[in-house]
Amino acid sequence: MTMSSLAIELRSVTKLFGEGTGAVVTALDDVTLDIHDNEFFTLLGPSGCGKTTLLRLIAGFEHVTRGAILLFGEEVKDLPPYKRSVNTVFQHYALFPHMTVAENVAFGLRMLRKDKVEIARIVKEKLALVKMQDLSTRKSDQLSGGQQQRVALARALATHPRVLLLDEPLSALDRKLRQEMRLELKALQREAGITFIFVTHDQEEALTMSDRIAVVSAGRIQQVGIPGEIYEHPVNHFVADFMGETNLLLATVYALDGDMAHCQLNGGAEILAEPVGNVTPGQKITLSIRPEKIVISDDMSTGGLLGRVIDCVYLGTDTAYRIALKNGPEVTSREQNAADDYVSFSKGDQVTVMIAPKTVQMLND
């Protein structure tokens, strides 16, 4: 096998379902993507966007309609799943209920006809890795959801795959356990030293664990980048809206001044933004501003936009304020509650809204 610093290369991959039936569905449309060796890479998107289909193509459970898939430099699109150095952990862990934890982990090794001594060594090693060695003799149906997930991970890692595929493995767990398992999964990936490709529709999961994220919609890759880049600098309306709460404001560029664009919101209020691409005066654009980037004050002399609080919701760590801008649309601001100088506002209060130009993101669509 040719060695490559890239674990997975997808080249113009298209997947069609229903060919010849008259009702063809395009699940993936001309997808090109590179995933690095020893990377925690997340495919993020809503249900039905194509992310699980992409995972199944890498695993070999589905056939590529057009395009190429390379695993460490070797074309694998025509290889059966058992000939790929890839394992999958599914949303439902598919453990054998009649087997013990150790027997479940050993199953794949026995299928490979490994020596009994080697099987025992690997099982012990992988159970220690997922902190399940003390429950090795327990039946899998006697385990909690989190424990079952650990066993599924140990079983998948036992055959030493070079890539581990994880199809929404946290979705069946309660919120607190999901949060704990995010950190454990990332630590496990570092310790295992292999590529993890993780599928989820949960933005928080993706931001927490990933080295890089690919946002997927309607069978296409919308944006690829590190978590901070995806969140702070979305390239289009879909990514901005999908990656957490944001204010999407329609505006018109009416002047360019050096590295600043003067933008007029619907209603006439004006804000500054850093231009993206070839922006021209008169151009209609959409601006994305995260609520936590909007600062509100009771000081009317700051030179910001004037507004009135029309709603406020206490959220524990912060408070969300809905503000109607004078000569402008409504916006949402989120203010941390922990600061010593924190000033709370009530419905009806007059406020000044301050938006730094560097926090305003122009979108491509």
Side-chain angles (χ1 to χ4, degrees), residues 328-344:
E330 296 178 1
V331 297
T332 297
S333 170
R334 292 181 73 136
E335 299 274 320
Q336 288 289 319
N337 296 330
D340 292 338
D341 59 350
Y342 171 70
V343 178
S344 62

Side-chain angles (χ1 to χ4, degrees), residues 93-106:
Y93 310 127
L95 300 177
F96 300 110
H98 63 285
M99 292 185 183
T100 66
V101 166
E103 288 168 343
N104 266 282
V105 177

